[in-house]
């Protein structure tokens, strides 16, 4: 962990240095396509990911650096704009993409160093996300925050729309930092230029702040002058009003004296009138007392009639309220079951989408496996061909060496046997020397060919090692495929269970709908029928026999009509009544027929 921290800190220094140098050469405004800027974001992402704790969830392991960056919103309320804009981007679907977008926006606002300093200062909150030996928990984090302050000189113009931040691969490109060492004088000049530009930017920022404060003060002064002029105008208006009010007060005093004199005169006249009215009232009161006694008797009789009517009304209202409560309960049950059905359907669609994604991933892995196997087979064929050519070249070499040895032996024998034929032999020797030189040239060319073949062999061995590593990766992918297939089977089981639950819910819903229709029909029937009064019926509705002391009146609780005891002897449990109540014969047969049809 120590080595990783030091390496990341060195890489951060290099990336910031290269970014500043390229910005000075090209201009201080940078775009998203600028390679050093892209590499800076990659190195920054590696620094934030160092020592992150793995969080396990239902889908799998989650290791993203967006969690610590969300803490900045709680610690600094100014960072809420960045967090809300990142969350509102519809193109970002993963936590990694949101973290990258957050870094882009913070760099554009020149607040990246400030926000990361707030995080580093609150290490007790970072301990939830990072391990104790992580880069952000150690002193290297403070050093990196100090290095990021230099980036406030740059102006970054980054467009987040249209960029796929979720699927970008964060790999550090070391080719940007492996360059030839430049002259020290040029570096000093660059440093001087950067210092001058930094001072210029600092002075410009101070001027901006001062101009803003001067503008604010001027607006405040203008506002105070306007307020002063308004207050003076109000003062003059108030003095005018006071004068007019004093004049009105004098007029009102004079009117008040006149009204007092008139009121005293009117009081004397009213006293005389009241005396006359008292005498007439005493005379009329006696006649009113007699009228009151007659009206009181009539009121008592009407109150008795009203009480009877109120009792009947209460019965009907109770029946109606019970019906309404039952209807509301059934409607609630149906709404709840419909909501559960919708939720279960949504879960089913999500599970189907996950299955499709897993299936596509499996197909892609199988196709890449087949391509890699074909490449391995082609490379093995090439290696076999190269080996066969090597063997042929070695055989040629051995043959040429044998021919040379035989020629040398023959020359020795000829020197011993034929001493007199030196001139002829010298000619032959010269020819042999020429042949030897030609053979040596051939040998040299064959050796060069052999070296080239050895280099090709080495290259093919490297490619074969790379293919073996890819094979190992493919095997890992196969294992992941098997795990994904197991997860798919589990999800299919869950789907089957949810479909069974949906079917059961559908059955319950159909039953409840049938009950609702029955209650609605009963409600319609009750609304259509009126409750007849005892005084209105003199004969039975069915047999049309006259009522008497022996043949008493009975109400049917379903239709509301009046029947005799023989025509309304049966009882049935109605929806509005929990216990069985009296029903006429025609309603009894109709309700029994309806119950049998719903049961079938």
């Amino acid at each position: 962990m120590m080595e990783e921290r030091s390496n990341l800190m060195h890489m951060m220094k290099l990336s910031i240095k290269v970014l500043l140098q390229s910005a000075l050469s090209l201009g201080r405004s940078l775009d998203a396509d600028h390679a050093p800027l892209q590499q800076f974001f990659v190195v920054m992402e590696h620094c934030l990911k160092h020592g992150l704790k793995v969080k396990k969830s239902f889908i799998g392991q989650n290791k993203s650096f967006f969690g610590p960056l969300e803490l900045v919103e709680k610690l600094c309320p100014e960072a809420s704009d960045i967090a809300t804009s990142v969350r509102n981007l519809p193109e970002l679907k993963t936590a990694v993409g949101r973290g990258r977008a957050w870094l882009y926006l913070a760099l554009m606002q020149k607040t990246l160093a400030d926000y990361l300093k707030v995080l580093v200062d609150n290490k007790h909150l970072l301990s939830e996300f990072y391990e104790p030996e992580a880069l952000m928990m150690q002193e290297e984090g403070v050093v990196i925050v100090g290095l990021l302050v230099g980036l406030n000189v740059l102006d970054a113009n980054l467009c987040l729309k249209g960029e796929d931040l979720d699927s970008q691969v964060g790999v550090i490109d070391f080719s940007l930092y492996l360059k030839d060492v430049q002259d020290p004088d040029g570096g000093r000049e660059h440093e001087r230029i950067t210092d001058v530009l930094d001072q210029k930017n600092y002075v410009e920022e101070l001027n901006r702040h001062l101009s803003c404060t001067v503008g604010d003060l001027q607006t405040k002064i203008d506002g105070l002058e306007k307020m002063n002029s308004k207050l003076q105008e109000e003062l003059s208006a108030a003095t005018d009003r006071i004068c007019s009010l004093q004049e009105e007060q004098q007029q009102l005093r004079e009117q008040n004296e006149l009204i007092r004199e008139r009121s005293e005169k009117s009081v004397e006249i009213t006293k005389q009138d009241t005396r006359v009215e008292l005498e007439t009232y005493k005379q009329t009161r006696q006649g009113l007392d007699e009228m009151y006694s007659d009206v009181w008797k009539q009121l008592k009789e009407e109150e008795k009639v009203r009480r009877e009517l109120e009792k009947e009304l209460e019965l009907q209202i109770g029946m109606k309220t019970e019906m309404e409560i039952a209807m509301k309960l059934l409607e609630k049950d149906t709404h709840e079951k419909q909501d559960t059905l919708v939720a279960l359907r949504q879960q089913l669609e999500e599970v189907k989408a996950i299955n499709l994604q897993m299936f596509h991933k499996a197909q892609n892995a199988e196709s890449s496996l087949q391509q890699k196997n074909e490449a391995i087979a082609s490379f093995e064929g090439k290696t076999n061909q190269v080996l066969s050519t090597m063997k042929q070249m070695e055989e040629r070499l051995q043959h040429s060496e044998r021919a040379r040895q035989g020629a040398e032996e023959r020359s020795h024998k000829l020197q011993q046997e034929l001493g007199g034929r030196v001139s002829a032999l010298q000619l032959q020797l010269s020819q042999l020397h020429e042949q030897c030189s030609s053979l040596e040239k051939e040998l040299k060319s064959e050796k060069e060919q052999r070296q080239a073949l050895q280099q090709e062999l080495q290259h093919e061995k490297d490619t074969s090692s790379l293919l073996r590593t890819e094979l190992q990766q493919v095997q890992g992918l196969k294992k992941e495929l098997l795990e994904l297939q197991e997860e798919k089977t589990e999800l299919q089981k869950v789907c089957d269970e949810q479909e069974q639950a949906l079917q059961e819910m559908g059955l319950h819903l159909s039953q409840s709908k049938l009950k609702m229709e029955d209650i609605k029909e009963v409600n319609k029937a009750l609304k259509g029928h009126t409750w007849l009064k005892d005084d209105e019926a003199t004969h039975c509705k069915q047999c049309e026999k006259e009522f008497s002391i022996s043949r008493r009146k009975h109400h049917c609780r379903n239709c509301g009509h009046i029947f005799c005891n023989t025509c309304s002897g049966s009882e049935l449990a109605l929806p509005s009544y929990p216990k069985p109540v009296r029903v006429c014969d025609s309603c009894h047969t109709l309700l029994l027929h309806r119950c049998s049809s719903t049961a079938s």
Side-chain angles (χ1 to χ4, degrees):
M1 294 287 277
M2 285 276 289
E3 287 175 0
E4 286 175 1
R5 286 203 303 271
S6 64
N7 290 333
L8 284 169
M9 196 176 73
H10 290 312
M11 284 305 302
M12 181 57 76
K13 285 179 182 177
L14 275 170
S15 65
I16 291 169
K17 186 179 178 184
V18 170
L19 183 59
L20 288 169
Q21 287 176 358
S22 63
L24 287 169
S25 61
L26 297 172
R28 285 179 179 267
S29 62
L30 302 174
D31 297 325
D33 297 328
H34 193 55
L37 186 61
Q38 291 176 356
Q39 286 301 309
F40 163 74
F41 282 122
V42 171
V43 175
M44 193 71 220
E45 187 176 339
H46 279 283
C47 291
L48 289 169
K49 280 183 178 177
H50 184 261
L52 261 176
K53 290 181 181 178
V54 179
K55 289 186 178 181
K56 293 182 179 179
S57 62
F58 177 75
I59 300 165
Q61 293 181 352
N62 186 12
K63 190 177 181 182
S64 66
F65 60 92
F66 187 59
L69 295 176
E70 282 180 318
L71 287 173
V72 180
E73 188 180 359
K74 296 177 183 176
L75 299 169
C76 289
E78 298 91 4
S80 60
D81 295 332
I82 294 173
T84 50
S85 58
V86 167
R87 290 191 193 99
N88 291 329
L89 283 169
E91 298 161 2
L92 302 175
K93 296 179 182 177
T94 60
V96 178
R98 293 189 188 98
R100 288 168 181 165
W102 193 92
L103 290 174
Y104 279 27
L105 290 170
L107 185 68
M108 281 195 283
Q109 292 183 4
K110 298 183 181 180
T111 55
L112 183 60
D114 299 331
Y115 292 156
L116 290 177
K117 188 179 182 300
V118 170
L119 276 178
V120 171
D121 292 339
N122 295 287
K123 288 180 181 176
H124 61 282
L125 295 172
L126 283 176
S127 60
E128 295 178 3
F129 299 94
Y130 289 100
E131 292 176 358
E133 294 179 0
L135 188 139
M136 294 296 287
M137 299 291 287
Q138 298 296 324
E139 293 178 358
E140 286 84 354
V142 181
V143 175
I144 286 169
V145 170
L147 291 169
L148 290 170
V149 175
L151 295 177
N152 292 335
V153 181
L154 304 177
D155 294 323
N157 297 321
L158 306 173
C159 184
L160 298 177
K161 290 182 179 179
E163 284 194 6
D164 191 6
L165 296 174
D166 293 328
S167 62
Q168 283 183 3
V169 180
V171 180
I172 299 169
D173 187 10
F174 294 99
S175 63
L176 288 168
Y177 313 112
L178 299 172
K179 292 180 180 178
D180 295 330
V181 180
Q182 295 178 355
D183 295 331
D185 295 328
R188 286 173 188 169
E189 286 178 1
H190 280 299
E191 287 176 357
R192 287 173 189 167
I193 290 162
T194 53
D195 293 334
V196 169
L197 288 168
D198 292 337
Q199 289 173 3
K200 185 187 173 185
N201 285 324
Y202 179 70
V203 170
E204 285 176 357
E205 285 179 358
L206 279 173
N207 284 327
R208 281 174 197 161
H209 286 298
L210 287 169
S211 64
C212 290
T213 51
V214 166
D216 293 334
L217 288 169
Q218 283 178 353
T219 52
K220 284 179 182 176
I221 288 161
D222 294 333
L224 288 168
E225 287 177 352
K226 288 177 182 176
M227 286 284 287
N228 196 5
S229 63
K230 284 180 182 177
L231 287 168
Q232 286 176 356
E233 288 173 1
E234 285 176 359
L235 250 174
S236 62
T239 52
D240 295 334
R241 282 177 188 172
I242 288 163
C243 295
S244 63
L245 285 167
Q246 286 175 355
E247 290 174 357
E248 285 176 1
Q249 192 177 5
Q250 289 176 358
Q251 290 175 2
L252 286 167
R253 280 176 184 173
E254 291 172 358
Q255 288 176 3
N256 196 4
E257 289 176 356
L258 290 168
I259 289 162
R260 194 180 289 169
E261 290 174 357
R262 287 174 186 173
S263 63
E264 285 174 355
K265 290 177 182 178
S266 63
V267 165
E268 289 175 356
I269 294 162
T270 50
K271 280 180 181 177
Q272 291 173 1
D273 293 334
T274 49
R275 284 171 189 169
V276 175
E277 285 176 359
L278 266 169
E279 289 173 357
T280 53
Y281 179 75
K282 285 175 182 177
Q283 291 174 0
T284 54
R285 191 172 179 181
Q286 293 175 358
L288 285 168
D289 288 333
E290 292 172 358
M291 289 281 290
Y292 181 76
S293 61
D294 296 330
V295 170
W296 183 253
K297 288 176 185 177
Q298 289 178 359
L299 245 175
K300 283 181 180 178
E301 290 174 358
E302 286 177 359
E303 279 179 355
K304 287 179 183 177
V305 174
R306 190 182 175 187
R307 283 171 190 169
E308 290 174 358
L309 289 167
E310 281 176 353
K311 285 179 183 177
E312 290 178 358
L313 250 172
E314 284 173 358
L315 282 169
Q316 289 182 358
I317 289 162
M319 290 167 66
K320 196 174 181 181
T321 51
E322 286 173 356
M323 285 289 291
E324 286 175 354
I325 290 161
M327 285 284 287
K328 285 177 182 176
L329 287 168
L330 279 168
E331 283 175 357
K332 281 182 183 177
D333 290 334
T334 51
H335 285 305
E336 288 173 357
K337 287 170 182 176
Q338 284 175 356
D339 292 334
T340 50
L341 262 172
V342 170
L344 286 167
R345 282 173 184 165
Q346 288 177 355
Q347 289 177 2
L348 255 175
E349 287 174 356
E350 289 174 357
V351 168
K352 286 176 181 176
I354 291 163
N355 284 332
L356 280 169
Q357 288 177 2
M358 304 289 277
F359 182 69
H360 289 308
K361 284 181 182 177
Q363 282 184 346
N364 291 327
E366 285 176 0
S367 62
S368 62
L369 248 175
Q370 287 176 359
Q371 289 175 0
K372 285 171 183 177
N373 286 325
E374 289 172 1
I376 288 161
S378 65
F379 278 121
E380 283 175 355
K382 285 180 181 179
T383 49
N384 291 325
Q385 288 176 3
V386 170
L387 288 169
S388 63
T389 53
M390 282 283 290
K391 285 177 182 178
Q392 289 175 3
M393 294 298 286
E394 285 174 357
E395 287 175 358
R396 285 181 185 176
L397 261 171
Q398 289 174 3
H399 184 69
S400 62
E401 284 175 358
R402 284 173 189 170
R404 189 181 177 187
Q405 287 173 4
E408 286 176 355
E409 287 174 359
R410 285 172 189 171
S411 66
H412 284 299
K413 285 177 183 179
L414 285 166
Q415 281 175 1
Q416 290 173 2
E417 290 177 357
L418 302 167
R421 298 176 183 176
V422 174
S423 60
L425 288 169
Q426 282 176 353
L427 290 167
Q428 288 178 0
L429 269 169
S430 63
Q431 289 175 359
L432 286 167
H433 280 302
E434 288 174 358
Q435 287 178 0
C436 282
S437 62
S438 64
L439 286 168
E440 283 175 355
K441 287 178 182 177
E442 288 178 357
L443 267 169
K444 284 179 183 178
S445 63
E446 285 176 356
K447 282 179 182 177
E448 289 173 355
Q449 288 178 359
R450 188 178 180 185
Q451 286 175 358
L453 288 166
Q454 282 178 352
Q455 287 176 357
E456 287 180 358
L457 251 174
Q458 190 66 34
H459 182 67
E460 286 177 355
K461 282 178 182 177
D462 294 335
T463 52
S464 64
S465 63
L466 285 169
L467 285 166
R468 281 171 189 164
T469 54
E470 285 178 355
L471 258 173
Q472 289 175 358
Q473 290 175 359
V474 167
Q475 287 175 356
L477 284 167
K478 279 183 178 178
K479 288 178 183 177
E480 288 179 0
L481 239 177
L482 291 168
E483 290 174 359
L484 290 169
Q485 285 176 354
E486 289 175 358
E487 287 180 0
K488 187 183 174 184
T489 52
E490 289 175 0
L491 288 167
Q492 280 180 350
K493 287 178 183 177
V494 172
C495 273
D496 295 333
E497 290 174 359
Q498 288 176 352
E499 284 178 354
Q500 287 178 359
L502 273 170
Q503 288 176 357
E504 291 175 358
M505 288 293 289
L507 289 169
H508 287 301
L509 265 173
S510 62
Q511 290 175 2
S512 63
K513 280 181 181 177
L514 288 169
K515 288 178 182 176
M516 276 284 290
E517 287 174 357
D518 293 338
I519 288 163
K520 282 177 181 176
E521 287 176 0
V522 172
N523 196 7
K524 284 178 185 176
L526 282 168
K527 283 178 183 176
H529 299 304
T530 55
W531 189 268
L532 286 175
K533 292 181 181 179
D534 292 333
D535 300 332
E536 291 178 359
T538 56
H539 294 79
C540 177
K541 175 82 174 183
Q542 192 170 350
C543 63
E544 295 182 353
K545 290 180 180 178
E546 191 177 358
F547 294 114
S548 62
I549 297 166
S550 58
R551 188 177 286 106
R552 295 184 65 189
K553 298 176 183 178
H554 296 285
H555 277 90
C556 174
R557 300 294 178 187
N558 189 32
C559 61
H561 293 293
I562 298 168
F563 297 90
C564 62
N565 191 19
T566 53
C567 298
S568 62
S570 53
E571 290 183 350
L572 264 178
L574 296 173
S576 56
Y577 296 96
K579 293 179 181 180
V581 290
R582 187 184 290 273
V583 180
C584 66
D585 293 340
S586 58
C587 291
H588 184 263
T589 52
L590 195 141
L591 290 168
L592 283 174
H593 180 67
R594 190 178 290 165
C595 290
S596 63
S597 64
T598 52
S600 61

